[in-house]
Amino acid sequence: MDRLANIQIRIEPELARMNGIIRESLKSDNELMDAVVSNYLLTKGKQIRPIMVILSAKFFGDVNNHVLHAGAALEMLHNASLIHDDVVDESALRRGMATINSQWGNHMAVLVGDFFVSNALSAGISTGNLAIITALSDLGKELSIGEVDQICNVREHRFDEENYISMIRKKTASLFRNCVKMGAEAVGVSEKEYKDLVHYGELLGLCFQIRDDIFDYFSNSQIGKPTGNDLKEGKVTLPLLHALEEAPQSVSNNIKEILRKGDLTEKEIQDLIEFAKEYGGIEYAYKKMRDFQEEAQKYLDNYPASEWKDTFQLLFDYIISRDK
């Protein structure tokens, strides 16, 4: 049994109830909307984010309906962002299935994404907890700014690690940070009690994105995007950023010129992938994740031993070692 399956089994009843809330929330009396949403929900993905909401609640107390609605809200907001991303990226597949935009067109996909957002807010409001509602609102803003930061990095050809980390902190780690916060808030824990676990969640989120970016440098049929897809879109991620720092300046300058030119050929993409590997970009990205995990562990060590503390450690191990 892999690490994620181990974790899912530990909270299987809570996950099932949460998914029931999502299905009920997204029902409508419009046949087309209902058909599109029902088809989309056939594949749930790994659901790591709502898993973290539930784990955070168990870490501090017992799972209640507010926890489940908070997890449902966060998962619907996350899926809304994926649906909209597929429109922007013109993606044909998501989790091995045809995307809404490829089946129904961009107009329908945007409307379905908006429908998910509205229902996420509704689920958040049902908790009656202003901190949870505020977290959802802040998260929506932060996700949008993170995506715009990424566009700016591409357009302005920013080739530095600091901008990259800042961008993924908003684009990805903000979700993980708020998972912990919402789970803890839903069981009535004070910010002073949960702040260290929030730091842990944020560092886990940074590693999630770095691991996701590493996938772009290898061929793997299990991954929902082709090799070099980020590079085709002009996204320069950590392995390549590090290689640009390590390579001789003349070589690095040539690579930067290729990236600035844009509209890369397949050969140029393969050359960039090999360049990143040759100058230690992959090894550096793994080292960065291990460093973040070590930093995160210091925050987790502030809490007493428990099954759920062990489960958070297991989740971090999974995030770094996952192959899809």
Side-chain angles (χ1 to χ4, degrees), residues 54-101:
I54 294 170
L55 291 182
S56 176
K58 283 185 171 287
F59 193 93
F60 294 110
D62 295 320
V63 172
N64 54 40
N65 278 333
H66 289 171
V67 173
L68 299 178
H69 277 86
L74 203 139
E75 180 69 349
M76 285 188 282
L77 184 62
H78 170 57
N79 276 276
S81 72
L82 297 181
I83 292 167
H84 287 155
D85 283 351
D86 288 339
V87 173
V88 173
D89 297 338
E90 299 179 351
S91 301
L93 291 174
R94 165 77 63 182
R95 299 165 184 160
M97 302 278 287
T99 55
I100 294 174
N101 52 290

Side-chain angles (χ1 to χ4, degrees), residues 160-177:
D160 63 280
E161 185 178 320
E162 184 179 352
N163 272 314
Y164 166 81
I165 295 296
S166 174
M167 179 269 293
I168 68 170
R169 194 180 299 278
K170 297 170 190 168
K171 175 189 166 186
T172 304
S174 59
L175 262 168
F176 290 80
R177 182 178 68 244

Side-chain angles (χ1 to χ4, degrees), residues 128-293:
N129 187 317
L130 187 59
I132 290 174
I133 299 165
T134 301
L136 281 170
S137 173
D138 290 345
L139 179 56
K141 289 185 278 189
E142 201 160 9
L143 290 173
S144 299
I145 294 298
E147 289 291 346
V148 173
D149 280 352
Q150 185 168 63
I151 291 170
C152 292
N153 287 348
V154 171
R155 289 183 177 177
E156 298 172 20
H157 306 295
R158 299 171 180 167
F159 301 131
D160 63 280
E161 185 178 320
E162 184 179 352
N163 272 314
Y164 166 81
I165 295 296
S166 174
M167 179 269 293
I168 68 170
R169 194 180 299 278
K170 297 170 190 168
K171 175 189 166 186
T172 304
S174 59
L175 262 168
F176 290 80
R177 182 178 68 244
N178 279 286
C179 289
V180 173
K181 179 178 180 178
M182 290 167 67
E185 284 283 352
V187 293
V189 179
S190 70
E191 184 176 355
K192 183 179 179 181
E193 291 176 273
Y194 67 65
K195 66 180 178 65
D196 284 337
L197 193 62
V198 166
H199 287 304
Y200 185 90
E202 180 174 68
L203 289 161
L204 188 152
L206 291 174
C207 288
F208 183 93
Q209 186 59 58
I210 293 170
R211 183 68 188 98
D212 217 42
D213 291 341
I214 292 172
F215 286 136
D216 203 49
Y217 294 83
F218 296 92
S219 178
N220 188 329
S221 60
Q222 297 184 79
I223 302 168
K225 63 179 182 179
T227 308
N229 200 54
D230 287 341
L231 291 169
K232 285 178 186 174
E233 296 171 6
K235 299 172 185 175
V236 181
T237 55
L238 190 59
L240 186 53
L241 289 172
H242 178 72
L244 287 169
E245 286 294 317
E246 290 298 303
Q249 189 170 0
S250 58
V251 177
S252 181
N253 286 341
N254 287 337
I255 294 295
K256 287 178 181 178
E257 282 306 308
I258 293 171
L259 290 166
R260 290 189 182 101
K261 172 182 72 70
D263 196 20
L264 305 178
T265 66
E266 288 297 326
K267 182 183 183 305
E268 286 172 332
I269 289 169
Q270 287 305 312
D271 287 345
L272 291 173
I273 289 170
E274 292 308 313
F275 168 79
K277 292 177 180 178
E278 180 181 353
Y279 287 97
I282 306 301
E283 291 84 355
Y284 178 78
Y286 273 107
K287 180 183 182 301
K288 194 74 175 180
M289 287 192 293
R290 288 191 293 271
D291 289 345
F292 279 147
Q293 186 178 28

